[in-house]
Amino acid sequence: MWTNYLRKRLPLTIRSLHTLKGNQLDQILMSPPLASLDLPDIWSPNPSSRIIPAIHKSFDDHTTIVLDGKLISMEIRSRIAAKVREMKKCLGEIPGLAVILVGQRRDSRTYVRNKIMACEEVGIKSVVTELPTDCAEMDVQNAIMRFNKDPSIHGILVQLPLPEHLDEEKVLDALCIEKDVDGFHPVNMGNLAINGRDPLFTPCTPKGCIELLIRSGVEIMGKKAVVIGRSNIVGLPTSLLLQRHHATVTVIHAFTENPEQITSEADIIVSAAGVPNLVRGNWIKPGATVIDVGTTPVEDSGCDDGYRLVGDVCHEEAIKVASVITPVPGGVGPMTVAMLLYNTLLSAKRMLNFN
Amino acid sequence: MWTNYLRKRLPLTIRSLHTLKGNQLDQILMSPPLASLDLPDIWSPNPSSRIIPAIHKSFDDHTTIVLDGKLISMEIRSRIAAKVREMKKCLGEIPGLAVILVGQRRDSRTYVRNKIMACEEVGIKSVVTELPTDCAEMDVQNAIMRFNKDPSIHGILVQLPLPEHLDEEKVLDALCIEKDVDGFHPVNMGNLAINGRDPLFTPCTPKGCIELLIRSGVEIMGKKAVVIGRSNIVGLPTSLLLQRHHATVTVIHAFTENPEQITSEADIIVSAAGVPNLVRGNWIKPGATVIDVGTTPVEDSGCDDGYRLVGDVCHEEAIKVASVITPVPGGVGPMTVAMLLYNTLLSAKRMLNFN
């Protein structure tokens, strides 16, 4: 009973010592490739009588699991590092990531710095091209073209948002889709949306959310999932990916009437609105899983960078209601970086024909 | 009061005589181009206090409007015909549609026949390439390539589904996106999904559903919409398009638990499951709008073709609960064909630089 509880409720980092065997250890992620999730939609005549696998949990002994995204991502990163070493040994090559950073946004610079450090740690080569805020669109395009052609570069990312005078659409369209490790190119997004197709890359934050859900034993299939926010970077691809995993997905946004009524019926909430404390305790169904993607920088002179990151979820209230939640920082953020490394490795493996 | 009621509740075909003026008459569709719907997601601190425009209707004097898709599509088609004549007069050119039909599926042959007849009626040139069920993928590809290059062809559609041995993905990828009037190419689907982008073409059935909603005065913004089914042809693009119009969209499918509980909270239901009588009276909220996209062929020796088309919605029960519903046949079906003509005209206008 207790083992079962552990297996269901604890992140893989803790479970792995006890339960992972054989070729599972070779796997970097627990979330499956998309293709394996293609199931035919066969409607039963009386849908209410169907049995969907679910976690049954008593809330008399309420325990909320706060997922440690940092710890889980460290495990993933160590597996990526091992694979990179293997690649180097076998082929004499390593994956390469190029980052294009335009302007001086403080949060963007921090994100890029974290990504570069993470690359170094796992042995992935990284190159950063920094461009001034007032650069021309052609400068960004030229940087992209150079990396598109460079065979030592397997992933290219343009740190968003771009300064307003630059056309994000044109810039992203210039990326060679085989190196689009962020998965934001319309072909990759279209193939994420279309049933029966697979994108070359799944966007990093949504992929990180799914990995967290799967590692914490949260059933997705048949569950009610609500995605708060519909950004191209998080909300949209997360809703598409949850649907791939056969959740019943509702996307809520600023025009939604009574959002709290919708979220309070959800088994899984992924919040990516970028509004601190939007999700209060009464927005959450008891026992639900709450993934907080919100990371709004708030001025704080006590912090190293002069600001700290704040989530969408009122953590103190949520922890009393949810069964699984993620903290900010240290929840989804580190997972996003780990998925970027994963996508870069995936791209290199694909281009170099290495398994 | 009564005029107001009329303006809100009656299809444009009836309203148009009274209310349409000036440049509105030049417009073929009432649904706006996507770009105009880009609104920033600004979350108010207390979302429940926001006022969303809504139809307030007493149900003591319950009247259900059954939308006449045939009549509405005839009006749209006559506007398209006028524009085609104008194009011919000004440029000496007309729009051209190529249809590729593989195999002998009875329903596919009927659909193609209807599309061709509709083209003739509005003066659009049409070409059909018929291929045998056991043709090679290369045969389909060659037909596509020929039409891709043909300057007299502005739209190409491959009638789906294809026989199983053919790779639908590869076939659709071969279509030149500028002629993809069905809007199923991943680039068009990706651009439909991504906020701030516009696809070159919006898939015909979803576009037809939105046009029906707008013409019948149904408010979409802020409303709860449920899409039943997640096919690439209808469910997926309809959910994306409803979200573009700022509905709060939930997609339900065969893995959804208690679908009737979710649909019975919806202001708008679009059903595209392909399951006759799936949507019963108790699935519908009183006063809701129900768009029935289901068209399942059922054997019926009394009909000309030996079969008749049956919707997803139990019409007899729905008509007692909904405020607006569509019949099958004669609801969404004719709208799909009208939108195909519209997309073909749009493509020709774009390629020939004609407004």
Side-chain angles (χ1 to χ4, degrees):
Chain A
M1 196 60 190
W2 171 239
T3 333
N4 221 5
Y5 176 84
L6 253 185
R7 190 157 45 228
K8 277 190 167 165
R9 313 304 317 160
L10 291 186
L12 183 70
T13 31
I14 303 165
R15 279 162 52 200
S16 57
L17 299 172
H18 308 284
T19 54
L20 276 185
K21 289 196 199 85
N23 66 357
Q24 269 188 282
L25 280 167
D26 295 338
Q27 246 181 266
I28 292 172
L29 304 183
M30 288 190 75
S31 44
L34 290 172
S36 68
L37 291 163
D38 285 337
L39 296 172
D41 263 353
I42 299 163
W43 294 78
S44 79
N46 181 3
S48 54
S49 67
R50 275 175 292 135
I51 296 161
I52 305 276
I55 296 162
H56 297 287
K57 190 168 180 284
S58 151
F59 278 93
D60 297 337
D61 61 335
H62 181 89
T63 325
T64 301
I65 292 171
V66 181
L67 294 178
D68 188 337
K70 219 168 165 181
L71 203 63
I72 297 175
S73 73
M74 274 170 61
E75 195 207 39
I76 293 170
R77 280 149 71 160
S78 80
R79 286 171 188 235
I80 292 172
K83 201 75 191 172
V84 170
R85 282 194 300 273
E86 197 189 323
M87 184 183 270
K88 195 174 181 181
K89 198 173 153 195
C90 293
L91 306 179
E93 306 232 38
I94 53 170
L97 176 72
V99 181
I100 297 167
L101 174 63
V102 184
Q104 297 292 328
R105 274 182 72 113
R106 203 172 48 176
D107 53 347
S108 291
R109 300 189 77 81
T110 307
Y111 291 142
V112 169
R113 196 176 58 222
N114 290 344
K115 290 168 186 174
I116 298 306
M117 274 165 51
C119 280
E120 280 173 18
E121 226 184 81
V122 299
I124 290 178
K125 165 187 145 175
S126 62
V127 192
V128 184
T129 292
E130 290 193 46
L131 293 166
T133 312
D134 60 352
C135 71
E137 202 164 283
M138 195 44 72
D139 299 330
V140 189
Q141 298 273 7
N142 286 341
I144 291 176
M145 292 308 164
R146 201 169 58 244
F147 291 132
N148 276 349
K149 282 185 211 145
D150 185 340
S152 77
I153 295 298
H154 307 96
I156 306 171
L157 80 84
V158 180
Q159 185 67 38
L160 300 178
L162 291 171
E164 283 208 349
H165 71 284
L166 298 176
D167 186 337
E168 188 181 299
E169 186 170 333
K170 278 196 197 148
V171 167
L172 292 182
D173 281 351
L175 277 177
C176 146
I177 64 163
E178 285 79 14
K179 297 186 178 185
D180 173 37
V181 284
D182 260 343
F184 297 154
H185 192 285
V187 171
N188 277 324
M189 204 67 98
N191 284 333
L192 178 63
I194 297 172
N195 300 314
R197 290 188 180 237
D198 280 342
L200 290 170
F201 302 100
T202 306
C204 301
T205 304
K207 181 92 178 153
C209 291
I210 295 288
E211 184 71 16
L212 279 178
L213 290 174
I214 290 175
R215 285 189 181 236
S216 48
V218 174
E219 184 73 33
I220 305 173
M221 186 186 290
K223 294 295 152 199
K224 275 191 190 174
V226 171
V227 176
I228 308 178
R230 48 179 176 172
S231 68
N232 293 331
I233 298 177
V234 186
L236 168 67
T238 302
S239 68
L240 297 173
L241 198 53
L242 282 166
Q243 195 171 290
R244 285 263 187 171
H245 284 259
H246 308 294
T248 301
V249 183
T250 304
V251 178
I252 71 176
H253 44 75
F255 298 90
T256 299
E257 290 176 274
N258 305 321
E260 67 280 14
Q261 184 247 319
I262 298 171
T263 56
S264 63
E265 291 177 1
D267 303 300
I268 298 165
I269 296 173
V270 179
S271 189
V275 181
N277 288 319
L278 179 72
V279 180
R280 308 293 301 265
N282 66 342
W283 284 46
I284 302 165
K285 182 169 92 168
T289 297
V290 181
I291 307 288
D292 191 355
V293 187
T295 42
T296 308
V298 169
E299 299 277 341
D300 189 337
S301 56
C303 294
D304 282 355
D305 294 309
Y307 71 98
R308 64 192 165 87
L309 296 177
V310 177
D312 286 355
V313 178
C314 179
H315 198 77
E316 303 73 46
E317 291 179 9
I319 204 165
K320 293 177 192 150
V321 191
S323 70
V324 179
I325 65 172
T326 62
V328 174
V332 175
M335 293 299 288
T336 298
V337 178
M339 294 303 131
L340 175 66
L341 304 176
Y342 176 81
N343 277 352
T344 307
L345 170 62
L346 179 75
S347 181
K349 281 165 68 180
R350 206 183 269 143
M351 289 188 192
L352 300 169
N353 209 2
F354 179 74
N355 278 312
Chain B
M1 195 58 190
W2 171 239
T3 332
N4 219 5
Y5 177 84
L6 253 186
R7 190 157 48 229
K8 277 190 167 163
R9 312 303 317 159
L10 291 187
L12 182 70
T13 30
I14 303 166
R15 279 162 51 199
S16 55
L17 299 172
H18 309 283
T19 54
L20 274 186
K21 287 197 200 86
N23 68 356
Q24 267 188 284
L25 281 167
D26 295 339
Q27 246 182 266
I28 292 172
L29 303 184
M30 289 190 75
S31 44
L34 289 173
S36 69
L37 291 163
D38 284 337
L39 296 172
D41 263 354
I42 298 162
W43 293 79
S44 79
N46 182 1
S48 54
S49 66
R50 275 176 292 136
I51 296 161
I52 305 276
I55 297 162
H56 297 288
K57 188 166 181 286
S58 152
F59 278 95
D60 296 335
D61 61 336
H62 181 91
T63 325
T64 302
I65 293 171
V66 181
L67 294 178
D68 189 338
K70 221 168 164 179
L71 203 63
I72 297 175
S73 73
M74 273 170 61
E75 195 206 40
I76 294 170
R77 279 149 72 159
S78 78
R79 287 171 187 236
I80 292 173
K83 201 76 191 170
V84 170
R85 280 194 301 273
E86 197 189 324
M87 184 183 270
K88 197 175 178 179
K89 197 174 153 196
C90 294
L91 304 180
E93 305 232 37
I94 54 171
L97 176 73
V99 180
I100 297 167
L101 173 62
V102 185
Q104 298 293 327
R105 272 183 74 114
R106 204 171 46 175
D107 53 347
S108 291
R109 300 189 78 82
T110 307
Y111 292 142
V112 170
R113 196 175 58 220
N114 291 343
K115 289 168 186 173
I116 298 306
M117 274 164 52
C119 280
E120 279 173 17
E121 225 184 80
V122 299
I124 289 178
K125 165 187 145 175
S126 62
V127 193
V128 183
T129 292
E130 289 194 46
L131 293 167
T133 311
D134 60 352
C135 72
E137 203 163 284
M138 196 44 73
D139 300 330
V140 189
Q141 299 273 8
N142 287 340
I144 292 175
M145 292 308 166
R146 201 169 59 243
F147 292 131
N148 276 349
K149 280 184 213 147
D150 185 339
S152 77
I153 294 299
H154 307 95
I156 306 170
L157 80 83
V158 180
Q159 185 65 39
L160 300 179
L162 291 172
E164 283 209 350
H165 71 285
L166 298 175
D167 186 338
E168 187 182 300
E169 185 170 334
K170 278 195 197 149
V171 167
L172 293 181
D173 281 352
L175 277 177
C176 146
I177 63 162
E178 284 80 12
K179 298 187 179 186
D180 173 37
V181 283
D182 260 343
F184 297 152
H185 191 286
V187 170
N188 277 323
M189 204 67 99
N191 283 333
L192 178 63
I194 298 172
N195 301 312
R197 289 188 181 236
D198 279 342
L200 290 170
F201 303 100
T202 306
C204 302
T205 303
K207 180 91 178 153
C209 292
I210 295 289
E211 184 69 17
L212 279 179
L213 291 174
I214 289 175
R215 285 190 178 235
S216 49
V218 174
E219 183 74 34
I220 305 174
M221 186 186 290
K223 294 296 151 198
K224 276 191 189 174
V226 170
V227 176
I228 308 179
R230 49 178 176 172
S231 67
N232 294 330
I233 298 178
V234 187
L236 168 68
T238 302
S239 68
L240 297 172
L241 197 53
L242 282 166
Q243 196 172 290
R244 286 263 186 170
H245 284 258
H246 308 294
T248 301
V249 183
T250 304
V251 178
I252 71 175
H253 44 76
F255 297 91
T256 299
E257 289 177 275
N258 305 321
E260 67 281 14
Q261 185 246 318
I262 298 171
T263 56
S264 63
E265 292 177 1
D267 303 300
I268 298 165
I269 297 174
V270 179
S271 189
V275 181
N277 288 319
L278 179 72
V279 180
R280 308 293 300 266
N282 65 343
W283 284 45
I284 302 165
K285 183 169 91 169
T289 297
V290 181
I291 306 288
D292 190 354
V293 187
T295 42
T296 308
V298 169
E299 299 277 343
D300 188 337
S301 56
C303 295
D304 282 355
D305 294 309
Y307 71 98
R308 63 191 166 89
L309 296 176
V310 176
D312 285 355
V313 179
C314 179
H315 198 75
E316 304 73 47
E317 292 179 8
I319 204 165
K320 293 178 191 149
V321 192
S323 69
V324 180
I325 66 171
T326 62
V328 174
V332 175
M335 294 299 287
T336 299
V337 178
M339 294 302 131
L340 175 65
L341 303 176
Y342 176 82
N343 277 353
T344 306
L345 170 62
L346 179 74
S347 180
K349 282 166 68 181
R350 204 184 271 142
M351 287 188 193
L352 301 169
N353 209 3
F354 179 74
N355 277 312

